[in-house]
Amino acid sequence: MKGTVLYEVRDDVAILTVDNPPVNPLSDGVRNGLYESIVKAEEDSDVKGIVLTGNGRAFIAGADISEFGGNVEGKSLNEVFRKLEFCDKPVVAAINGIALGGGLETALCCNYRIADINAFVGLPEVNLGLLPGGGGTQRLPRLTGPSEALKMMLTGSHVPAKKALNMGIVDQISENILEDSIEFVKNIASETDAHPKVRDKNDKMLEAKSNDNVMVEAQAMAAKGRKGQFAPGQIIKCVEAAINLDDFDEGLKKEGEYFLECLMHPQREAMIHIFFGERAASKISDVPKDTKIMDIKKAGIIGSGTMGGGIAMCFANAGIPVHIIDQDEENLKRGISVIEKNYDFMVNKGKLTSEQKDSVFGLVTSSLNYSDISDCDIVIEAVYENLELKHEIFKALDQHVKPEAILASNTSGLDIDSIASITSRPEKIVGTHFFSPANIMRLLEVVRGEQTSNETLATIMAIGKKLKKAAVVSLNAPGFIGNRMLFGYTAQANMLLLEGALPHQIDQALESFGLNMGPFRMMDLVGLDLGWRARKLSGKESPLHAKIGDELCEQNRYGQKSGAGYYNYSEGSRAPNPAPENEATYEKISSENGFTRRDITDEEIVDRCILALINEGADILSEGVAQRAADIDVVYINGYGFPIWRGGPMHHANALGLEVVIEKLEKYKEITGSDVYKPSEMLLKLAKDGLKLGEAPSKEERKEKLGFEMSSVANNF
Ligand code: 3H9
């Protein structure tokens, strides 16, 4: 059994301490321990009241997520909650730290809640494809009112203690949580025998009965922020039941039914796969756990453009002073004013107070001199993609920045080893590929060079966590993980256009599949001219898939930046409007290249684009460029808008079944004649052995089972 509950009696108060490091989830041992400890306290006539708290930094981080989908042992959570709620002695939840999901639900079953000043609460089950199934959907609305409760449950947001007090979720805030809670329960036990239960608070439910707006607003919120997800609708139905059913236990019953439907839904498995995938991604199989991590006290950024400014904001937001260098004073001024505008925007939106803005923006300094970053612990170069320029910058950095500092490049595709080779500290050189806008996008691809040291890598993974990024390691290989996959995917979208589909049809099909943005909207956003100019410079003939894009550029249709690309854009708007005038161009280029345009189904569009991703992902895995299948999923969800509820391209392949994936690949290879659809060796071998992506055997068995050796980093694919 995992976890336990420590029992101690102090001053006639039983102190129950949940002990299940590091964050005290409600594993089987904790559930049994809680149940038994409550019985013990009830049976001890000397005990006047109970304080329930957690060991370490968490109160309780929720149900044990690793138990979902498996056989669960021990007492059920709802048995424990019932025991707690009907305990014959007063119970105070001393919320010492993190109280999420089942953790907050535990506290809601107690008579009183006191929170440490630094604690936070929340019901983030929606992020796992679930709903708060321990009574949270019934009890939280009774304290906050349904509107606020729905906001919390649909966003999964964390609410700091002070706000939780204002919202009525906790009764008191304390800086001396355990002592104050003991004192409180002793006093209250001597004053009265009638202790409040959240289930009995009905005033806010009665008020809500006549207010239809609450549900309408919740539906709109779910449709906007949680497109395609199953759990949000279930959460709304639970709150409807809380409002409409007069009997609390009937509401609980409904919650149980809706929870079970979420539990059985494939989205739950996909989203939990990503929860654990993000955490696994930070562990590098051949970097020992106890590798020294450098303390990053100050960061430097080279380049004050969009990327440089966004990266600087990430450091400042994490409380790390950051100094930006640019070679051009005008650029630098512009860059700094963009950063300030971004912070002002957050103030206007109520996401920051003016004081918070001043303090965070105060961490950003700038100048034109390399000597001002000599004391930085890390410097990230974020200039445009030109290897010669990067060589020059790294030579200068190597001279000016202290020798123990890490020097990183924000390249999206250049060779990190080549950059490292011109410095005297190749072990300190690493790629940190942020995604634009860097202050918002969660993905951080960490590019490991041939000589990047364990200490450098471990430090970057730790700083990634501090910057609240989903950091994933990639070997130094062309396109790294994400852009290599993107290339094959957009090429197929372009081939579909050449064969007869139209941009808006392709975009709509992929957006209905769940992608945030279809490929043609994305290409218009990035700009069609970048690739076109590079191809012109190379003097080589454009590949088939680029021919239409190149022709549009010849007509000055570069995408959003010129008001026209695959779509038309009205002045000042990013909304795409169909561009029927392009259709003659499509016809012309198709026929020039021997294609008779045909009707293409949405199914073929989705299959061909997503299969291209899956097949490339499998190759990336077999080459050891990514450590594990889940790393690829984390990259694609956090950097490329793949729907989290499908668990990423590799998880999606497993969900389809590798046999089915191979069958489809072979079908499209036949139709298109393209090697893009030649099934990856990895897929064929895994399918033959009845394995899934991510279920490959251990490193030792791999050669024997799969017939090929992989890079030493790819231990856990
Ligand atoms: C629920 O409660 C359902 C109920 O309503 C109803 C049921 C009937 N379980 O993130 P970290 C592990 S659903 C198991 O690196 P941080 C995590 O995998 C649950 N394990 O630390 C990692 O393991 P490892 C609702 C968990 O400080 C280690 O703890 N609750 C759980 O950056 C450290 O985690 C949630 O959704 C768990 N519940 O962040 C909260 N939580 O070291 C989910 C964590 O082997 N958790 N682990 O990689 C979080 O949001 C963050 O982990 C937390 C700490 C904020 C708590």
Side-chain angles (χ1 to χ4, degrees), residues 73 110 165 329 381 386 523:
E73 310 240 309
C110 299
L165 178 69
E329 191 154 10
E381 161 277 309
N386 176 312
M523 287 185 266

Side-chain angles (χ1 to χ4, degrees), residues 22-234:
V23 290
N24 302 328
L26 291 156
S27 314
D28 45 11
V30 173
R31 295 194 303 274
N32 282 5
L34 272 176
Y35 193 95
E36 285 155 17
S37 303
I38 298 162
V39 171
K40 196 167 165 185
E42 280 182 328
E43 286 172 354
D44 183 344
S45 57
D46 289 339
V47 167
K48 303 287 179 275
I50 299 172
V51 168
L52 171 55
T53 193
N55 228 352
R57 62 194 168 103
F59 173 66
I60 296 169
D64 185 335
I65 300 170
S66 64
E67 286 182 356
F68 292 125
N71 284 336
V72 180
E73 310 240 309
K75 295 268 178 220
S76 79
L77 205 49
N78 285 319
E79 258 176 292
V80 177
F81 285 173
R82 203 167 172 80
K83 188 83 200 147
L84 188 59
E85 192 170 39
F86 290 97
C87 176
D88 58 18
K89 296 182 180 171
V91 187
V92 177
I95 304 174
N96 55 303
I98 304 163
L100 295 175
L104 175 57
E105 290 174 307
T106 307
L108 295 178
C109 292
C110 299
N111 303 105
Y112 308 96
R113 285 157 294 283
I114 303 181
D116 181 89
I117 186 107
N118 294 314
F120 60 86
V121 304
L123 293 177
E125 285 86 344
V126 70
N127 294 329
L128 304 171
L130 288 170
L131 59 83
T137 66
Q138 306 301 298
R139 292 191 182 90
L140 188 66
R142 286 179 153 74
L143 292 180
T144 64
S147 178
E148 289 302 318
L150 277 162
K151 264 186 222 154
M152 263 177 79
M153 291 189 282
L154 292 175
T155 58
S157 59
H158 295 176
V159 177
K162 273 192 188 156
K163 188 167 176 203
L165 178 69
N166 293 337
M167 290 171 76
I169 302 171
V170 301
D171 309 301
Q172 279 185 35
I173 301 276
S174 159
E175 291 188 39
N176 208 355
I177 183 84
L178 192 59
E179 283 67 24
D180 287 351
S181 301
I182 294 172
E183 198 56 29
F184 176 87
V185 82
K186 250 178 18 191
N187 290 340
I188 204 89
S190 67
E191 282 166 20
T192 175
D193 284 333
H195 303 286
K197 289 186 179 37
V198 176
R199 61 159 54 221
D200 299 330
K201 292 184 195 289
N202 282 323
D203 48 334
K204 293 205 161 81
M205 298 294 95
L206 292 172
E207 269 169 39
K209 271 191 206 280
S210 54
N211 185 358
D212 293 340
N213 279 346
V214 176
M215 290 305 149
V216 175
E217 277 166 18
Q219 297 285 6
M221 184 181 230
K224 189 163 172 241
R226 300 259 170 204
K227 199 178 129 211
Q229 296 187 21
F230 178 69
Q234 301 286 98

Side-chain angles (χ1 to χ4, degrees), residues 460-618:
I460 294 293
M461 298 315 274
I463 200 78
K465 181 158 188 181
K466 203 158 184 193
L467 303 190
K468 298 202 164 72
K469 298 292 174 198
V472 177
V473 177
S474 166
L475 278 195
N476 181 33
F480 310 140
I481 299 172
N483 281 348
R484 175 165 160 191
M485 289 170 74
L486 180 72
F487 179 81
Y489 162 85
T490 44
Q492 279 318 299
N494 278 309
M495 288 307 294
L496 286 157
L497 172 60
L498 202 59
E499 291 169 42
L502 290 172
H504 65 266
Q505 185 202 355
I506 299 171
D507 282 351
Q508 266 165 24
L510 287 157
E511 285 167 18
S512 299
F513 173 83
L515 276 137
N516 272 355
M517 191 185 275
F520 292 94
R521 282 177 60 205
M522 190 186 66
M523 287 185 266
D524 266 2
L525 176 70
V526 173
L528 311 183
D529 53 326
L530 300 175
W532 171 62
R533 283 184 217 285
R535 283 188 288 276
K536 275 187 122 164
L537 269 177
S538 79
K540 290 188 199 145
E541 198 193 331
S542 295
L544 264 183
H545 64 81
K547 291 212 183 266
I548 289 180
D550 284 359
E551 177 63 27
L552 294 182
C553 288
E554 296 292 347
Q555 300 167 15
N556 297 328
R557 299 183 71 100
Y558 301 149
Q560 282 191 19
K561 63 173 82 165
S562 62
Y566 290 106
Y567 295 95
N568 291 328
Y569 301 87
S570 324
E571 180 121 13
S573 163
R574 288 172 180 270
N577 302 306
E581 67 270 38
N582 281 350
E583 286 176 28
T585 304
Y586 305 153
E587 294 279 355
K588 176 175 149 271
I589 306 284
S590 295
S591 92
E592 278 174 10
N593 290 284
F595 289 92
T596 307
R597 292 180 69 80
R598 62 183 170 97
D599 283 341
I600 297 183
T601 63
D602 288 359
E603 187 191 352
E604 179 174 344
I605 291 170
V606 171
D607 273 356
R608 281 181 53 189
C609 292
I610 302 300
L611 286 169
L613 279 182
I614 293 172
N615 215 26
E616 193 69 54

Side-chain angles (χ1 to χ4, degrees), residues 666-683:
E666 279 164 352
K667 175 176 124 188
Y668 289 114
K669 168 129 184 45
E670 179 95 26
I671 293 174
T672 63
S674 166
D675 271 355
V676 168
Y677 298 111
K678 182 168 170 261
S680 153
E681 283 255 306
M682 161 77 83
L683 288 174

Side-chain angles (χ1 to χ4, degrees), residues 188 246 317 319 342 403 484 508 543 633 636 690 692:
I188 204 89
D246 294 327
N317 294 346
N342 285 341
R484 175 165 160 191
Q508 266 165 24
D633 290 334
Y636 231 74
K692 289 181 174 180

Side-chain angles (χ1 to χ4, degrees), residues 343-397:
Y343 282 127
D344 286 338
F345 181 75
M346 289 162 81
V347 172
N348 291 340
K349 282 245 163 194
K351 291 188 175 161
L352 276 186
T353 63
S354 317
E355 294 73 37
Q356 283 169 328
K357 177 215 145 176
D358 289 345
S359 101
V360 78
F361 185 54
L363 293 172
V364 182
T365 52
S366 63
S367 72
L368 303 174
N369 304 320
Y370 273 73
S371 55
D372 294 331
I373 50 168
S374 59
D375 59 340
C376 285
D377 304 295
I378 182 171
V379 178
I380 299 179
E381 161 277 309
V383 303
Y384 63 91
E385 295 287 58
N386 176 312
L387 193 59
E388 275 170 31
L389 175 64
K390 294 199 190 232
H391 277 175
E392 252 174 56
I393 290 174
F394 273 78
K395 250 187 222 156
L397 289 175

